[in-house]
């Protein structure tokens, strides 16, 4: 690689790439180092419907709101992989509808007759839906247009090694932060999706639950329909579980019966970086600076632009 950058980002999932875009477009020289290429990261397996839940932080809603704005603007300008879609989020419990939901475009509460069997409260709204493999390519193209270098290779043994390349390091290693930081608060949470040929469904459905678990969501992405989902804490295997897949298809078919006969296309498996609270934090090491951006759980895409903005503000403040 060439000249020493201002910032080295470790990790090339959605958090690393988005942070890279924000930093380089702020005038900084950026380099990214990663073990896996973006299409091989867990980010590529995400169903990626915008929803500011399944992670915790005091800035959660603000980060998600910023990300919604960016995705909506990208969709309006025809960015590959980004669309704003109508749909329903619903709960099997008599919940209070979150205040952030009532401010979304297209919001209205569902009448009882509009809810699937077993659901008692829900709301219509418009949400960004991201086709992750295509979207990650879009971010890569944006980085390449600014000359950002990405090096792929062996994993770092410690974050200290990263300072050999830059005085400011941004840690976007996701579940890898458990060993690299090390941070015992990071818990791998295995998620599984099923992809089928879209039988003509153009609206999304997302089950609202208090935490990641066995929830149901149906996400249209053109000719492909993604069905979810699962959340198996502590599991890291990347092989599909046929029993979990069968349950996903059964739950999805109960909401949209056409799904039952839709031809199967494949599985998607990703390991989410669960953590009690998202870590966006600056460690001032004197002549060196380490900025963390990980632990996003099931909300990595939903808060990606907001977190990237906060990291950029931190990094610029070190100069």
């Amino acid at each position: 690689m060439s000249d020493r950058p201002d910032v080295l980002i470790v990790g090339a999932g959605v958090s690393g790439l988005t942070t890279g875009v924000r930093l380089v477009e702020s005038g900084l020289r950026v380099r990214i180092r990663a073990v896996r290429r973006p299409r091989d990261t867990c980010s590529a397996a995400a169903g990626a419907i915008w929803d500011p839940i399944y992670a915790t932080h005091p800035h959660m809603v603000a980060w998600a709101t910023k990300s919604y704005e960016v995705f909506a603007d990208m969709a309006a300008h025809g960015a590959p992989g980004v669309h704003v879609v109508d749909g329903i989020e619903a709960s099997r419990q008599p919940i209070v509808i979150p205040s952030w939901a009532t401010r979304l475009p297209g919001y209205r509460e569902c009448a009882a007759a509009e809810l699937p069997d077993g659901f008692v409260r829900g709301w219509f709204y418009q949400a960004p839906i991201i086709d992750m493999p295509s979207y990650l390519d879009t971010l890569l193209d944006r980085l390449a247009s600014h000359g950002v270098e990405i090096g792929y290779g062996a994993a770092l043994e410690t974050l200290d090694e990263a300072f050999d390349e830059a005085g400011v390091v941004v840690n976007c290693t996701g579940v890898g932060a458990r060993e690299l930081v090390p941070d015992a608060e990071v818990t791998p949470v295995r998620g599984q999706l099923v992809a089928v040929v879209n039988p003509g469904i153009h609206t999304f459905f997302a089950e609202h639950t208090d935490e990641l678990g066995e929830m149901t969501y149906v996400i249209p992405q053109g000719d492909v329909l993604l069905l979810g989902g699962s959340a198996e804490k502590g599991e890291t295997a990347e092989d599909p579980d046929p029993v979990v897949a069968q349950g996903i298809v059964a739950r999805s078919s109960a909401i949209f019966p056409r799904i039952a006969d839709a031809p199967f296309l494949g599985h998607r498996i990703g390991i989410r970086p669960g953590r009690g609270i998202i870590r966006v934090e600056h460690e001032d090491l004197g002549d060196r600076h380490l900025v963390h951006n990980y632990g996003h759980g099931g909300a990595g895409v939903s808060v990606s632009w907001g977190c990237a903005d906060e990291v950029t503000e931190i990094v610029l403040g070190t100069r």
Side-chain angles (χ1 to χ4, degrees):
M1 292 185 179
S2 59
D3 297 339
R4 185 176 174 87
D6 297 313
V7 185
L8 176 71
I9 297 170
V10 184
V14 68
S15 295
L17 298 185
T18 308
T19 301
V21 168
R22 282 299 197 230
L23 288 170
V24 75
E25 293 182 354
S26 296
L28 299 176
R29 291 171 298 169
V30 176
R31 182 179 297 159
I32 299 175
R33 176 171 177 167
V35 176
R36 295 185 175 189
R37 295 181 181 276
R39 277 183 173 250
D40 296 326
T41 65
C42 64
S43 294
I49 179 172
W50 180 93
D51 207 347
I53 55 178
Y54 305 136
T56 303
H57 194 279
H59 299 171
M60 185 75 182
V61 172
W63 288 340
T65 299
K66 178 60 179 181
S67 300
Y68 190 112
E69 293 170 354
V70 174
F71 288 132
D73 183 69
M74 293 178 77
H77 288 86
V82 186
H83 304 277
V84 176
V85 179
D86 294 308
I88 291 175
E89 184 158 331
S91 173
R92 300 178 192 270
Q93 306 298 325
I95 63 165
V96 174
I97 295 177
S99 59
W100 55 260
T102 64
R103 300 190 292 269
L104 294 173
Y107 169 82
R108 74 171 176 84
E109 188 169 354
C110 297
E114 294 173 313
L115 292 168
D117 290 344
F119 291 84
V120 299
R121 198 167 193 196
W123 61 94
F124 290 92
Y125 68 109
Q126 295 174 348
I129 286 179
I130 318 299
D131 178 358
M132 287 305 294
S134 176
Y135 176 67
L136 293 171
D137 288 346
T138 297
L139 294 179
L140 283 172
D141 289 343
R142 196 158 160 182
L143 290 165
S145 73
H146 292 282
V148 174
E149 298 175 285
I150 305 180
Y152 303 103
L156 296 171
E157 293 293 329
T158 70
L159 284 170
D160 283 344
E161 295 176 35
F163 289 110
D164 292 340
E165 297 186 45
V168 178
V169 172
V170 180
N171 172 24
C172 296
T173 54
V175 73
R178 178 177 176 85
E179 303 299 332
L180 187 60
V181 173
D183 185 348
E185 290 188 48
V186 176
T187 301
V189 182
R190 181 180 183 271
Q192 183 166 328
L193 302 176
V194 175
V196 299
V197 174
N198 192 338
I201 295 170
H202 303 293
T203 58
F204 69 83
F205 178 87
E207 180 174 357
H208 185 94
T209 57
D210 290 335
E211 60 181 29
L212 279 171
E214 186 183 88
M215 78 289 285
T216 302
Y217 47 93
V218 176
I219 303 174
Q221 293 185 341
D223 294 334
V224 177
L225 192 66
L226 294 180
L227 316 176
S230 70
E232 303 160 80
K233 292 182 180 179
E235 293 294 329
T236 59
E238 297 186 23
D239 296 323
D241 183 329
V243 174
V244 171
Q246 290 168 9
I248 288 170
V249 173
R251 296 196 309 273
S252 301
S253 299
I255 296 169
F256 296 102
R258 286 175 287 174
I259 290 173
D261 297 321
F264 171 79
L265 292 175
H267 301 281
R268 291 192 186 182
I269 307 293
I271 311 300
R272 305 179 182 99
R275 195 174 187 271
I277 186 169
I278 295 171
R279 191 178 188 191
V280 175
E281 182 179 325
H282 174 210
E283 290 190 52
D284 187 342
L285 304 175
D287 61 340
R288 303 177 301 170
H289 297 274
L290 176 59
V291 183
H292 297 288
N293 183 16
Y294 68 87
H296 304 96
V301 177
S302 297
V303 299
S304 56
W305 288 102
C307 288
D309 281 347
E310 184 148 336
V311 169
T312 300
E313 183 178 345
I314 292 170
V315 172
L316 291 174
T318 68
R319 297 179 63 77

